[in-house]
Amino acid sequence: MTSQSYLLIKPEAIECGLRSEIYESVKDAGLNVVCQHEFIAQPRHFELGWSDLRKDLHPLEHVVFELWFAGKPVELLLVETEHHAHQAALLAKARIRNDYSRGAFRNMVHAPDSDFEFRLQLGGFDTGCPRCSAAATRITSDHDTPQAFSGGTLLPEELRNPDVIMEHVAPIWNDPQSYFWSLGTPEPWQVSGPGERAYSTYLRYSPYDLSYDNLVGALLDSFPGMTFGRASELLFSAMNRSDVAIATGTRTDVTLAQRSLMRQGLNLAVRPTRDKAAGDHR
Ligand SMILES: [Zn+2]
């Protein structure tokens, strides 16, 4: 019994002319390409294919998809092997990312984590071809799909609007100096009085078991007065750099902040604040 998965070649890989290298890595992982489609990505593909992350609940995720993909060429490779195609596709993905990534959002390929994601996402891309359709789950409304992160903290109601989020995120996404691309060291949130920065809290590992919306939602919930822009800057920087402190202050205040974030699914450590002069790797 053969097993199938897929890889999506992202716009930046097509732009950089990396396709033949990617085909080679896919072949090296023991996968045969059985169907191949190049098309222009549309927001609708992600609304359906990622409907386990519904747009009305996770608008930031979909705004990022839109900025990253919409109107740009992508290529879908339906791949096949004897056994465990998803594992082989994830291995190919890891190798390609390791060899060719040029930053957090320049990671060249996507592959699904599970059979559920494979069928749902393939259905969202709707290539119209019989071979891909046979493996896909076709849905017409995103409201029927079981949600991937049903326990996470949502963004506040007034921010749960894709247009409002787009207004915040598009200028930052399009600015080459912004934290999405330059990954500098943002100032941590001060939870104690000025000058109290003996302890800080850091993300322990990339928290990909929550959506971006949940992660930003948790920061806004834990730090009253924080803006959406500030929360996203701290979060996206901390997800990509282990030395970016989320919050700083006395040990007690930092530990309280850490507990509040841990309750909402973020895994954080409290450590003495790193010396700026010694720890600044900009
Ligand atoms: Zn196909």
Side-chain angles (χ1 to χ4, degrees), residues 35-37 127 129 131-132:
C35 217
Q36 208 162 346
H37 302 275
T127 59
C129 102
R131 197 154 199 175
C132 289

Side-chain angles (χ1 to χ4, degrees), residues 269-280:
V270 172
R271 299 197 295 261
T273 298
R274 294 196 182 170
D275 184 346
K276 257 251 156 177
D280 193 347

Side-chain angles (χ1 to χ4, degrees), residues 25-266:
S25 304
V26 168
K27 212 170 101 192
D28 287 348
L31 293 160
N32 293 317
V33 176
V34 292
C35 217
Q36 208 162 346
H37 302 275
E38 186 176 337
F39 54 92
I40 302 295
Q42 304 296 347
R44 184 83 183 143
H45 295 148
F46 295 90
E47 283 163 33
L48 294 176
W50 273 257
S51 57
D52 57 340
L53 213 58
R54 250 168 53 196
K55 192 178 182 176
D56 56 340
L57 302 175
H58 305 274
L60 174 57
E61 287 279 348
H62 287 269
V63 162
V64 170
F65 284 142
E66 195 168 333
L67 290 165
W68 200 347
F69 293 95
K72 298 175 190 166
V74 292
E75 188 174 30
L76 188 155
L77 306 177
L78 184 70
V79 291
E80 203 170 87
T81 184
E82 251 344 274
H83 303 286
H84 307 303
H86 300 312
Q87 268 138 291
L90 288 170
L91 178 70
K93 176 182 92 169
R95 284 185 186 156
I96 294 161
R97 288 187 172 188
N98 186 55
D99 292 348
Y100 304 111
S101 279
R102 295 179 186 187
F105 292 91
R106 291 169 174 161
N107 56 20
M108 309 303 170
V109 283
H110 165 76
D113 286 328
S114 66
D115 207 53
F116 173 78
E117 285 187 6
F118 164 58
R119 294 179 189 285
L120 186 67
Q121 293 169 7
L122 197 59
F125 288 119
D126 187 19
T127 59
C129 102
R131 197 154 199 175
C132 289
S133 297
T137 303
R138 287 296 309 281
I139 57 158
T140 47
S141 155
D142 62 5
H143 278 70
D144 309 325
T145 312
Q147 293 299 289
F149 309 120
S150 48
T153 305
L154 297 178
L155 288 172
E157 185 83 48
E158 69 275 13
L159 281 171
R160 232 177 291 153
N161 174 334
D163 297 336
V164 171
I165 295 194
M166 185 59 91
E167 259 170 56
H168 280 285
V169 178
I172 314 170
W173 182 276
N174 294 324
D175 172 7
Q177 296 308 311
S178 80
Y179 57 83
F180 276 124
W181 314 116
S182 69
L183 302 177
T185 312
E187 275 297 303
W189 187 253
Q190 291 270 350
V191 288
S192 307
E196 292 283 3
R197 15 187 338 141
Y199 285 86
S200 299
T201 188
Y202 301 83
L203 276 185
R204 228 193 276 270
Y205 50 76
S206 295
Y208 289 122
D209 49 351
L210 291 171
S211 75
Y212 294 156
D213 297 73
N214 293 153
L215 294 161
V216 172
L219 259 61
L220 294 177
D221 180 81
S222 297
F223 303 113
M226 189 181 272
T227 60
F228 174 84
R230 188 92 168 81
S232 350
E233 179 184 28
L234 280 167
L235 185 82
F236 281 107
S237 304
M239 283 170 78
N240 291 295
R241 295 249 323 250
S242 60
D243 59 342
V244 171
I246 300 268
T248 184
T250 64
R251 185 171 205 155
T252 310
D253 290 345
V254 168
T255 303
L256 283 173
Q258 175 214 27
R259 283 189 193 145
S260 165
L261 291 165
M262 297 270 276
R263 275 198 298 276
Q264 301 178 76
L266 278 80

